[in-house]
Amino acid sequence: SAVISQKPSRDICQRGTSLTIQCQVDSQVTMMFWYRQQPGQSLTLIATANQGSEATYESGFVIDKFPISRPNLTFSTLTVSNMSPEDSSIYLCSVEINLNLMNTEAFFGQGTRLTVV
Amino acid sequence: QKEVEQNSGPLSVPEGAIASLNCTYSDRGSQSFFWYRQYSGKSPELIMFIYSNGDKEDGRFTAQLNKASQYVSLLIRDSQPSDSATYLCAVKKQAGTALIFGKGTTLSVSS
């Protein structure tokens, strides 16, 4: 298993500002993912954070808006830039741990509940 | 067509009954299938995963997979009020890719 520490757990921010969310894992992991969960919705993948290279973004998400860092195998940050009320969501980091040769299990951080006013 | 589809519910069952949650997926090449439970305001937690056709049982939970029909389900036996939550179906296309989540089904178990 993996223990993920994500912070802050919640924040209220002014529009136009930026917030950086941190994700720390208690073991080295290859794959880290950042998801967004808007109110009443499911989880949508923002990007895959790769150690040693640029993050891979999903359609509809861009690096200028959601810059990601992955300096080592245990840590990643997601920045929500130039925030607007539409960015109000829960942001979750996730890591994958090998269950066996064929499968992995995804573990989630506690989430960051962001409100933009 | 959405990649992973679930009935949003709410699904209401009395305590002690069997709750049946269903999920369909569009990519026939998907390899692994997961059920997560999410309580309000909390992160998702894994209940079960399955990758072979058939049934997989773990306590009160049974996951069922039918790849020909692109269908996966979760049965909860002897439902308890503490099972009331949103259940997310997630699909992994292949190793090294992220999970794709359905919108979730809200389950309400009444005592």
Side-chain angles (χ1 to χ4, degrees):
Chain A
S1 66
V3 176
I4 305 171
S5 174
Q6 185 177 338
K7 55 184 180 182
S9 58
R10 59 177 63 228
D11 207 341
I12 301 173
C13 300
Q14 296 290 324
R15 68 180 67 200
T17 63
S18 297
L19 175 72
T20 295
I21 303 167
Q22 299 181 359
C23 183
Q24 178 76 52
V25 189
D26 67 344
S27 58
Q28 293 186 338
V29 294
T30 303
M31 308 295 289
M32 291 183 76
F33 304 94
W34 287 97
Y35 290 87
R36 180 175 73 182
Q37 188 173 30
Q38 294 178 303
Q41 301 297 314
S42 189
L43 283 74
T44 301
L45 181 66
I46 297 172
T48 302
N50 306 305
Q51 196 270 330
S53 64
E54 282 197 2
T56 304
Y57 289 83
E58 297 299 304
S59 176
F61 298 96
V62 295
I63 187 171
D64 289 347
K65 176 68 175 177
F66 298 100
I68 287 171
S69 77
R70 181 83 198 273
N72 56 54
L73 292 175
T74 64
F75 186 78
S76 179
T77 67
L78 169 75
T79 299
V80 186
S81 303
N82 188 25
M83 287 182 285
S84 66
E86 291 72 34
D87 294 320
S88 298
S89 284
I90 298 173
Y91 292 85
L92 293 143
C93 72
S94 172
V95 302
E96 295 211 343
I97 303 294
N98 288 330
L99 294 169
N100 51 48
L101 288 176
M102 291 180 60
N103 275 284
T104 59
E105 177 180 342
F107 291 88
F108 288 88
Q110 305 95 317
T112 297
R113 185 179 295 271
L114 171 62
T115 302
V116 183
V117 297
Chain B
Q1 180 187 10
K2 290 184 169 50
E3 293 198 68
V4 180
E5 296 211 50
Q6 296 179 255
N7 188 330
S8 61
L11 174 65
S12 297
V13 300
E15 184 175 358
I18 295 175
S20 178
L21 304 161
N22 304 316
C23 173
T24 58
Y25 58 96
S26 61
D27 188 335
R28 188 171 288 278
S30 299
Q31 294 186 350
S32 308
F33 308 87
F34 301 79
W35 283 100
Y36 283 83
R37 177 176 61 197
Q38 186 175 27
Y39 292 112
S40 181
K42 301 294 185 181
S43 294
E45 54 180 335
L46 181 69
I47 299 175
M48 293 190 71
F49 67 92
I50 187 169
Y51 49 81
S52 298
N53 276 326
D55 295 359
K56 179 181 180 181
E57 186 174 319
D58 184 2
R60 295 187 297 113
F61 299 96
T62 298
Q64 299 174 318
L65 175 61
N66 184 326
K67 289 189 176 181
S69 300
Q70 296 174 236
Y71 175 92
V72 58
S73 66
L74 179 70
L75 299 178
I76 306 175
R77 290 181 299 281
D78 188 23
S79 296
Q80 302 297 308
S82 59
D83 295 326
S84 298
T86 296
Y87 289 80
L88 300 168
C89 173
V91 173
K92 178 182 281 288
K93 291 184 178 181
Q94 60 188 43
T97 62
L99 293 172
I100 302 170
F101 285 85
K103 285 194 170 185
T105 299
T106 301
L107 173 65
S108 176
V109 182
S110 56
S111 56

